[in-house]
């Protein structure tokens, strides 16, 4: 049996899709990783996948090749290895490196979690500042932490709202804005500083 036949017989498209980070719902639908998908348009069955929006389709080997940018033969070997199907010849390092790269879906999910936890911490800090540094008398000059809290809280809460309740398109918009220019990393570093000084 050649490796293509073996892999296709042993691994369903759905198993591979889930193994590589796609979330397939009860109806067999997932967010398509090949276009900017707002609502699940990718149909995943046992032996094929098909995107109703962008038209991508194929079998388990096509899916893996597409996700990791591999030739079909290397994709089949990756599947054989990831699903422990057969001992294979040792693989060249260049291919191993490619396998380790995260898929776009995994990367997006991780960024989303990062944005959420950093913003949530920022929100807690601002709520604290808003109380702690509020002016005590009308003639007091405003503390800059109080000012920042008043300014930024509505924005932070809006972003958190989208991350919690938005659809995948809205969430990915927020994530790409927040990660642009390393904003969220800088904020994370700043929060670490603030914690240190408290
Ligand atoms: Zn698609």
């Amino acid at each position: 049996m050649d490796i293509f036949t073996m892999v296709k017989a042993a691994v369903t498209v759905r198993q591979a899709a889930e193994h590589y980070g796609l979330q397939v719902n009860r109806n067999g639908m997932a967010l398509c990783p090949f276009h900017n998908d707002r609502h699940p348009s990718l149909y995943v069955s046992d032996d094929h996948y098909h995107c109703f929006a962008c038209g991508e389709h194929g079998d388990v080997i096509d899916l893996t090749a597409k996700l990791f940018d591999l030739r079909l033969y290397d994709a089949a070997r990756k599947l054989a290895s990831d699903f422990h199907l057969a001992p294979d010849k040792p693989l060249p390092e260049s291919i191993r490196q490619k396998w380790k790269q995260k898929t776009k879906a995994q990367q997006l999910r991780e960024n989303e979690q990062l944005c959420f936890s950093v913003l949530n911490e920022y929100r807690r800090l601002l709520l604290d500042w808003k109380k702690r540094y509020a002016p005590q008398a009308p003639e007091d000059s405003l503390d800059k932490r109080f000012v920042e809290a008043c300014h930024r809280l509505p924005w932070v809460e809006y972003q958190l709202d989208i991350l919690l309740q938005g659809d995948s398109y809205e969430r990915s918009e927020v994530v790409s804005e927040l990660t642009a220019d390393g904003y969220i990393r800088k904020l994370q570093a700043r929060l670490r500083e603030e914690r240190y000084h408290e």
Side-chain angles (χ1 to χ4, degrees), residues 166-178:
D167 63 29
S168 66
Y169 177 73
E170 291 164 336
R171 297 199 312 272
S172 73
E173 292 277 281
V174 163
V175 169
S176 66
E177 250 169 63
L178 289 172

Side-chain angles (χ1 to χ4, degrees), residues 31-37 41-42 50-56:
L31 286 173
C32 174
F34 307 121
H35 78 277
N36 195 353
D37 204 1
S41 331
L42 188 75
H50 176 80
C51 176
F52 291 100
C54 72
E56 275 297 334

Side-chain angles (χ1 to χ4, degrees), residues 4 14 19 22 37 42 54 66 76 88 90 101 163 172 183:
F4 292 96
R14 182 171 180 138
H19 190 77
L22 301 186
D37 204 1
L42 188 75
C54 72
K66 200 84 213 258
D88 206 342
Q101 285 168 12
L163 288 175
S172 73
Y183 172 78

Side-chain angles (χ1 to χ4, degrees), residues 86-148:
D88 206 342
K89 284 175 284 180
L91 290 157
E93 189 54 28
S94 61
I95 291 175
R96 288 196 165 279
Q97 282 307 320
K98 238 177 181 176
W99 289 8
K100 284 193 201 133
Q101 285 168 12
K102 290 179 181 140
T103 63
K104 276 188 199 150
Q106 286 169 319
Q107 189 64 57
L108 187 68
R109 209 154 358 129
E110 278 177 22
N111 283 341
E112 217 174 281
Q113 280 159 1
L114 174 74
C115 288
F116 188 80
S117 72
V118 173
L119 282 183
N120 213 14
E121 195 186 333
Y122 188 36
R123 177 175 173 270
R124 274 201 302 268
L125 180 74
L126 293 178
L127 284 172
D128 178 53
W129 281 0
K130 200 174 171 181
K131 255 196 228 148
R132 207 191 303 188
Y133 301 109
Q136 302 300 308
E139 65 277 14
D140 283 357
S141 63
L142 293 178
D143 189 287
K144 65 181 190 339
R145 285 160 292 198
F146 176 75
V147 174
E148 178 174 343

